[in-house]
Amino acid sequence: MPVTFNLADALDTALKSAATSAGLEAAAFVPEVRTADARHGDFQANGVLGYAKARKLNPRAVAEKLVAALPAEVPAAYDVVIAGPGFINFTLKPSALFAWLRIHDSAAHLKASAATARQGQTWIVDYSSPNTAKQMHVGHLRSAVIGEAICRLLEFSGAKVIRDNHIGDWGTQFGKLIWAYQRHLDAAALASDPLEEFERLYKVGNAAAEADSAVLEQARQELVKLQAGDPANLAIWKRINDASLGAFQQIYDQLGITFDVTLGESFYNDQVGRIYRELGETGLAQESQGALVVFHPEHPRFKTQPFIMRKADGASNYATTDLATALYRTEHFHADGIVVVTDFRQADHFEQLFLTVRKWFAAKHYRLPELHHVTFGVITGEDGKALRTRDGGTIKLKELLTEAEARAFALVSERSADIPPDERQKIAAVVGVASIQYSDLSQNRSSDYVFAWDKIISLEGNTAAYLLYAGARIHSIFRKLGAAEAGVTAASPDPSGLAGAPETPTELALARKLVKFADAIRLATDTLRPHFLSLYLYELAGEFSAFYAADKVAVDDPAIRARRLLLCGRTLLILETGLNLLGLRTLTRM
RNA sequence: GCGAGCGUAGCACAAUGGAUAGUGUAGUGGCCUCCGAAGCCAUUGAUCUGGGUUCGAUUCCCAGCGCUCGCACCA
């Protein structure tokens, strides 16, 4: 059968075709092909069980009819076995594994094969999105890291992705901040470290507002003035934002993030009038206790819990700007999908927002994009509580990344003292940041996760270092064997064409894992859960390590050497492609 | 009070309704004259409780219990 990138898809098609020719109710038959536990094969089709049960048929008999009707290319490529109550198991033959590996020979080829699901679509990913006037802290890490991985996965599936940093540059923090700026500014501190000074001023304003309700009211008035376009307040505001964005960019550079647009809340300030008008016209919004709100009568909670889109004092809030944002992304960017990456505490807000947007767009006949709120849990310390410094302060992201690099440098120095210090420093920069990213991406984003340096910068287990190490070993093989044999490189591991199908148990296990790359990225992308890809890469690195320990590559027999080099080359290709999809940088030595 | 998320070995985590619930770490025992031992191989140990749906439930539903979070003008 022709070699396809996603083998499970091809099996699904073949099974549907077999269902027709075997006389099943083909329209009602869903093959349910999925990757299988290696004990049972490479893929399994479970659909016969439910189909047979619903019709009171013997599932094994149905499976036998189906298998007999499979197109000839399936038994040519797979050993097909009916097992248990009616599972159909497919185990790739070595020749089919070899055919897949030979063809999928470059990152560009992999991407071209994968880029079908969302071809021609435009997706907006809203992530990171810190508030200005504050430094980024550890709480901002997950949105940035998970969001970037999702962007890359969506791009790999064919979408045009617009990365949007929806910064909080228009919130009520500016009321307190401007209030304090006018009264307590330290000009010298502002000149030397503006962000530190803004943070100090915010704390001063916040404390004063908490202590004195008159101050709180004054701060509110400053915010209203700002939102009305008062020139003095606007000048202060702009100064704060410019300084903040410069500081953010240093973090993004370390994380490998480049935003296409930075359209914060302020960008939508002049669009709120249309929001008030349209939600009024459509009858969605109503006055309640002086505020303009939306209720959802069909919803058990939101029939009484309001979605406040204009406060009683007349100011807009983030509901207003988020509504305007959804409209802008639809009208200006023609978004097919919108993904917002924030922590789970905002789940109510986005549920209300999306409910409102759906009704509003339907009433106005606007095209409705797919709307996804991608949530994640909090990062906790080893005590299970939100991660903080010893004295209870927030951990600044800048300091976290610096410490990660320092710890990685110590580790690299301990293990690879022969590498020159300046190169070790560069390696440590990659290992440190990758370790932080990977610790976040390697587990299901829904749960909280415990931050422990020893686990993150570890040499062992499901860590960035383990994956980078596997890659570095492969590079090392090609440095040695490539030098001895003309034309052999990781990108072209078999120039002589001597490689054949995998033979040993560890060669086969590695090859069988490699061909399931397509399933891993499909699963990670469709669920917007990068940890499925992380898990796959970890298992791939594990299969490689087992292969590497069991089967020597640098053997004299040219055919054996060639087929093992092919496996090394393809492992490196898929490992590095996958790590890059997660947003990690890779290494050739470490 | 109402609602949401989470609850899996000592610890940290997986499991797209499938087969004997996987991995790391810690523990134990092996493997470097041989391509990088940051590695490999072997081994001990777990689904919060009780019902239900299903041929099949860690997964879906219901009721408890525990932790975390949200619930009128912060984002």
Side-chain angles (χ1 to χ4, degrees):
Chain A
M1 86 201 261
V3 179
T4 55
F5 176 61
N6 191 309
L7 296 165
D9 273 0
L11 278 176
D12 184 88
T13 304
L15 280 159
K16 282 179 179 154
S17 146
T20 304
S21 46
L24 275 63
E25 295 169 48
F29 175 69
V30 181
E32 292 181 35
V33 176
R34 51 163 290 171
T35 55
D37 185 301
R39 289 183 299 243
H40 303 119
D42 291 304
F43 301 97
Q44 62 184 73
N46 300 336
V48 166
L49 287 140
Y51 177 90
K53 176 68 186 169
R55 288 160 187 77
K56 300 193 193 311
L57 301 169
N58 179 336
R60 290 193 66 109
V62 174
E64 275 164 31
K65 275 172 70 178
L66 204 54
V67 167
L70 279 168
E73 58 263 31
V74 173
Y78 295 88
D79 292 320
V80 184
V81 174
I82 298 164
F87 301 112
I88 307 176
N89 291 335
F90 300 88
T91 306
L92 279 155
K93 294 182 178 176
S95 57
L97 290 167
F98 178 56
W100 194 96
L101 291 176
R102 199 163 45 175
I103 284 180
H104 293 96
D105 61 354
S106 68
H109 188 164
L110 291 173
K111 170 159 187 184
S113 304
T116 52
R118 290 171 189 76
Q119 191 63 254
Q121 296 184 12
T122 298
W123 283 66
I124 317 294
V125 182
D126 169 342
Y127 66 114
S128 184
S129 307
N131 289 337
T132 54
K134 294 183 198 166
Q135 298 189 57
M136 291 178 79
H137 57 79
V138 66
H140 295 109
L141 182 65
R142 297 197 84 177
S143 177
V145 169
I146 294 169
E148 179 62 25
I150 285 174
C151 288
R152 294 181 183 211
L153 286 166
L154 287 170
E155 281 173 336
F156 205 70
S157 76
K160 174 189 174 193
V161 171
I162 295 170
R163 292 162 166 80
D164 184 5
N165 197 5
H166 191 71
I167 54 173
D169 60 355
W170 205 240
T172 44
Q173 78 264 31
F174 285 99
K176 292 169 184 172
L177 191 50
I178 290 170
W179 182 90
Y181 189 99
Q182 291 163 340
R183 291 163 179 79
H184 303 285
L185 179 67
D186 177 341
L190 181 70
S192 66
D193 191 340
L195 268 189
E196 286 288 350
E197 175 60 4
F198 293 142
E199 280 190 13
R200 187 189 69 83
L201 286 171
Y202 176 77
K203 284 176 192 155
V204 167
N206 196 42
E210 270 180 28
D212 182 351
S213 63
V215 172
L216 184 63
E217 186 48 40
Q218 287 168 5
R220 275 203 190 116
Q221 288 309 313
E222 295 300 342
L223 179 67
V224 172
K225 274 170 70 182
L226 172 69
Q227 297 193 345
D230 176 78
N233 281 9
L234 269 178
I236 297 171
W237 171 82
K238 188 167 188 318
R239 222 169 158 174
I240 294 168
N241 284 323
D242 289 348
S244 298
L245 287 172
F248 296 161
Q249 193 54 50
Q250 293 174 15
I251 303 279
Y252 296 141
D253 288 345
Q254 282 187 280
L255 293 174
I257 294 173
T258 307
F259 287 99
D260 299 297
V261 289
T262 298
L263 301 177
E265 290 162 356
S266 67
F267 176 79
Y268 300 98
N269 186 39
D270 62 358
Q271 299 170 37
V272 298
R274 179 173 167 196
I275 306 303
Y276 298 145
R277 189 174 67 248
E278 293 199 5
L279 272 83
E281 281 168 10
T282 53
L284 288 166
Q286 59 182 267
E287 293 274 341
S288 176
Q289 300 177 24
L292 188 66
V293 310
V294 178
F295 290 109
H296 295 284
E298 77 288 359
H299 193 282
R301 242 168 332 125
F302 303 144
K303 65 184 175 191
T304 52
Q305 182 179 320
F307 187 56
I308 298 170
M309 49 179 282
R310 189 178 64 213
K311 304 194 284 185
D313 64 7
S316 62
N317 66 359
Y318 85 136
T320 333
T321 50
D322 279 357
L323 288 163
T325 303
L327 182 63
Y328 186 80
R329 288 172 177 166
T330 303
E331 291 190 333
H332 185 265
F333 292 121
H334 307 291
D336 296 288
I338 296 172
V339 177
V340 183
V341 187
T342 81
D343 69 86
F344 71 98
R345 287 175 298 200
Q346 299 189 42
D348 272 6
H349 168 75
F350 281 101
E351 196 180 345
Q352 288 174 305
L353 175 72
F354 290 169
L355 275 171
T356 307
V357 166
R358 288 195 178 95
K359 292 178 185 175
W360 167 34
F361 280 22
K364 301 295 285 186
H365 305 291
Y366 298 150
R367 196 168 69 105
L368 181 71
E370 274 185 53
L371 302 170
H372 297 274
H373 184 212
V374 167
T375 62
F376 50 84
V378 298
I379 301 178
T380 74
E382 293 180 71
D383 59 357
K385 294 182 177 160
L387 189 63
R388 295 199 165 273
T389 56
R390 269 188 213 89
D391 56 8
T394 57
I395 297 174
K396 297 186 170 72
L397 206 39
K398 189 170 68 179
E399 290 164 8
L400 188 85
L401 293 172
T402 301
E403 181 165 357
E405 284 188 26
R407 285 173 181 265
F409 183 74
L411 196 65
V412 173
S413 299
E414 178 192 326
R415 302 287 164 169
S416 303
D418 54 312
I419 297 177
D422 58 332
E423 192 187 340
R424 259 185 270 158
Q425 197 64 56
K426 287 177 187 160
I427 291 168
V430 173
V431 172
V433 174
S435 297
I436 295 280
Q437 293 171 299
Y438 190 79
S439 71
D440 204 330
L441 294 167
S442 62
Q443 62 188 277
N444 193 323
R445 58 177 165 76
S446 295
S447 23
D448 295 348
Y449 91 83
V450 180
F451 188 96
W453 281 116
D454 290 344
K455 192 178 72 178
I456 289 168
I457 313 276
S458 168
L459 320 170
E460 290 133 13
N462 189 3
T463 62
Y466 179 82
L467 297 178
L468 294 172
Y469 177 68
R473 288 211 291 192
I474 301 175
H475 278 290
S476 176
I477 291 169
F478 283 104
R479 273 195 297 272
K480 291 213 165 115
L481 299 194
E485 195 170 342
V488 170
T489 63
S492 172
D494 181 31
S496 60
L498 287 172
E503 288 183 17
T504 69
T506 35
E507 288 172 5
L508 285 163
L510 177 57
R512 292 171 69 190
K513 183 55 78 176
L514 283 167
V515 304
K516 294 184 187 87
F517 177 61
D519 300 281
I521 55 174
R522 167 82 56 87
L523 187 57
T525 310
D526 286 352
T527 58
L528 302 175
R529 291 182 188 274
H531 80 283
F532 285 116
L533 176 56
S534 302
L535 180 66
Y536 167 80
L537 294 174
Y538 174 59
E539 289 172 352
L540 175 63
E543 296 291 2
F544 173 76
S545 295
F547 156 78
Y548 182 86
D551 296 325
K552 189 172 169 60
V553 179
V555 293
D556 291 336
D557 184 318
I560 297 175
R561 193 171 63 237
R563 80 168 190 254
R564 290 182 182 166
L565 279 169
L566 178 70
L567 284 167
C568 289
R570 296 301 188 255
T571 302
L572 186 64
L573 170 66
I574 288 181
L575 185 62
E576 292 190 334
T577 301
L579 288 171
N580 288 332
L581 280 173
L582 293 175
L584 273 65
R585 285 183 270 257
T586 56
L587 292 167
T588 55
R589 289 179 82 192
M590 68 183 282

